[in-house]
Amino acid sequence: MRGNGLLRDRSLLYLLAFLFNASWVLITSLMPLYLDYLGYRGAGIGALSSGRTIFAAIAAIIAGRVSDKLGHREPISISLAIFTLLGCILYLKESPKIVALIYPLIGLCFGLFNTPATSLLSELSPSTSMASSFAIFYSVMNLAGIISSNFSGWIAGKMGYRYLFLSASFFSALSLLLVRMLPGRTVEKGKSLPILRDLRSLDRKFYLFLAGMLFHGFSLMSIWPFFSLYAKKGIGLSEPEVGMMLSMRSLGLLLTLVLWGKISDRIGPSNMIFLHVFFSSFAWAAYPFSPNFPLAALVLGINGVVGAMDMPARRSVAAGFSDSKIRATAMGLLDFTSGIASSAGFIFGGLLWDAIGMRAPFIVASLINWIGALLLFMVRKGKS
């Protein structure tokens, strides 16, 4: 009976993740194009993306702590309520200043949702198949991403960007109806859990793992806003074509996430995360040399296959290095560290884009990423 209950709870969490990511991708997939439409240059787009990531990082560590103390439902509910409101504001007002204020707050919503959701999933999953559970979780999210990426290009091209934001608000509001059905947590009254003491209890290799993911996050976000911009400005694609091409990465993720999750359970998640970071550099460097839609879509599909190695392993490594009582805090620290590094990466990539050219962010990020691969090589261990 207990097993059936855990399966039901995981299935509910998968559905919630689907709806959240559908709304998230509707807003974020074409946001660099929307910012370009509003008059922002590469550095400005990078700065706003950086702000979004900083807010997500801060929210992640707060949400992790709240989840360990009070339960997972509270930060998830707050995330979805704020996200619904922000989407409505973006729909009602088309303004560069409004977007500059709201886009960072969208990151806040992601941090409040992602850390509690993944921490809850780790508690609902057997340790021997945890990576597989995360693989299903991210497969569901990427299925939502594929659907939303394709619809985002169509909606923006036929109806305008404002209706992306309205659609995102609808799915976010729908998600709120499911949150109260998630399992809660009994709070131990009168018991304090000082965060510094808890962080000192983490395995020392966890901090080496954090350092490796810091370099990886910095490198990835140096190029993240520019996948869509390069497709439009470098290849000359329309908004619907950009949306369709971006969905190829999500398709690569979707088709291989479960496979990588099972392999990660067999070889150990720390080995898998090293392989992911190492091969990511090759996939990134190839993209800005894609001259047309078919080749760019193929390269993005390969990026998706390589990217699918990441999240099941990343979360499993973090879970393996932390006690269950502080697991959400550990995952929040992971998201916080990656987020702060990513925020610097956005700005760095924007400066490279403006100063050197469209290929520069991808090439430089690929080289820096190998520092992270070296650190993660030192973290590797067998199946645990």
Side-chain angles (χ1 to χ4, degrees):
M1 292 295 291
R2 176 61 176 161
N4 290 336
L6 290 176
L7 179 60
R8 183 197 70 86
D9 290 338
R10 288 200 300 271
S11 299
L12 179 61
L13 189 57
Y14 295 150
L15 177 58
L16 185 62
F18 178 91
L19 292 172
F20 174 79
N21 208 48
S23 60
W24 172 262
V25 173
L26 277 173
I27 286 185
T28 59
S29 62
L30 297 184
M31 183 58 80
L33 301 189
Y34 183 59
L35 293 172
D36 180 67
Y37 163 76
L38 292 176
Y40 286 93
R41 299 187 63 201
I45 293 171
L48 288 180
S49 299
S50 173
R52 187 196 77 189
T53 308
I54 289 174
F55 273 75
I58 295 172
I61 198 165
I62 294 173
R65 200 61 187 157
V66 170
S67 295
D68 282 333
K69 292 281 286 181
L70 302 177
H72 304 89
R73 293 186 302 198
E74 287 72 14
I76 291 175
S77 296
I78 294 171
S79 164
L80 295 172
I82 295 175
F83 194 87
T84 301
L85 176 62
L86 295 179
C88 289
I89 295 173
L90 287 173
Y91 166 73
L92 293 171
K93 188 68 175 177
E94 183 180 282
S95 164
K97 292 182 179 179
I98 293 294
V99 175
L101 292 173
I102 287 182
Y103 194 38
L105 293 177
I106 291 175
L108 178 80
C109 300
F110 185 84
L112 289 174
F113 179 91
N114 190 55
T115 300
T118 52
S119 173
L120 175 59
L121 181 59
S122 73
E123 294 182 10
L124 298 173
S125 304
S127 59
T128 55
S129 60
M130 189 178 297
S132 296
S133 293
F134 279 118
I136 296 172
F137 179 85
Y138 287 109
S139 293
V140 167
M141 291 188 76
N142 278 283
L143 176 60
I146 292 171
I147 296 170
S148 289
S149 289
N150 281 284
F151 272 101
S152 66
W154 183 86
I155 293 172
K158 298 293 184 181
M159 305 172 68
Y161 289 102
R162 292 172 61 239
Y163 286 90
L164 290 177
F165 310 137
L166 182 64
S167 302
S169 289
F170 170 77
F171 285 113
S172 182
L174 188 62
S175 304
L176 270 171
L177 301 176
L178 301 175
V179 176
R180 302 315 300 176
M181 299 170 63
L182 292 174
R185 167 171 291 174
T186 301
V187 181
E188 299 181 56
K189 296 182 179 179
K191 188 172 182 179
S192 174
L193 293 173
I195 187 169
L196 292 179
R197 186 191 69 192
D198 289 344
L199 294 181
R200 283 197 295 268
S201 71
L202 292 169
D203 191 298
R204 290 183 179 181
K205 278 195 171 183
F206 178 76
Y207 293 99
L208 191 61
F209 167 65
L210 284 183
M213 298 312 295
L214 182 150
F215 279 101
H216 178 58
F218 174 86
S219 304
L220 175 60
M221 294 309 160
S222 295
I223 61 175
W224 192 257
F226 305 109
F227 279 107
S228 57
L229 270 181
Y230 178 80
K232 183 176 182 180
K233 293 181 175 291
I235 305 177
L237 303 182
S238 65
E239 279 85 352
E241 288 173 325
V242 173
M244 185 182 301
M245 192 188 71
L246 292 177
S247 73
M248 292 299 101
R249 183 182 187 276
S250 296
L251 181 61
L253 283 161
L254 179 65
L255 293 176
T256 55
L257 262 168
V258 173
L259 173 63
W260 287 131
K262 291 183 180 298
I263 294 174
S264 182
D265 283 328
R266 291 181 64 86
I267 69 173
S270 58
N271 289 309
M272 180 61 75
I273 197 68
F274 161 71
L275 292 173
H276 158 70
V277 173
F278 180 78
F279 286 111
S280 289
S281 289
F282 294 102
W284 298 349
Y287 177 71
F289 296 93
S290 306
N292 52 44
F293 178 90
L295 283 177
L298 175 62
V299 172
L300 275 185
I302 294 172
N303 268 273
V305 172
V306 175
M309 302 165 75
D310 183 353
M311 283 301 177
R314 176 194 299 241
R315 297 293 171 180
S316 297
V317 172
F321 282 134
S322 57
D323 181 85
S324 61
K325 293 182 179 179
I326 60 167
R327 186 162 293 164
T329 300
M331 290 190 179
L333 181 60
L334 170 62
D335 292 336
F336 175 78
T337 303
S338 299
I340 293 300
S342 298
S343 67
F346 280 126
I347 296 175
F348 181 68
L351 293 173
L352 289 175
W353 177 278
D354 286 339
I356 303 178
M358 292 185 286
R359 289 176 174 171
F362 297 93
I363 296 172
V364 175
S366 297
L367 297 174
I368 296 175
N369 187 55
W370 270 326
I371 301 175
L374 176 62
L375 292 170
L376 292 171
F377 181 81
M378 298 166 64
V379 177
R380 291 181 315 129
K381 58 181 180 180
K383 177 182 174 182
S384 56

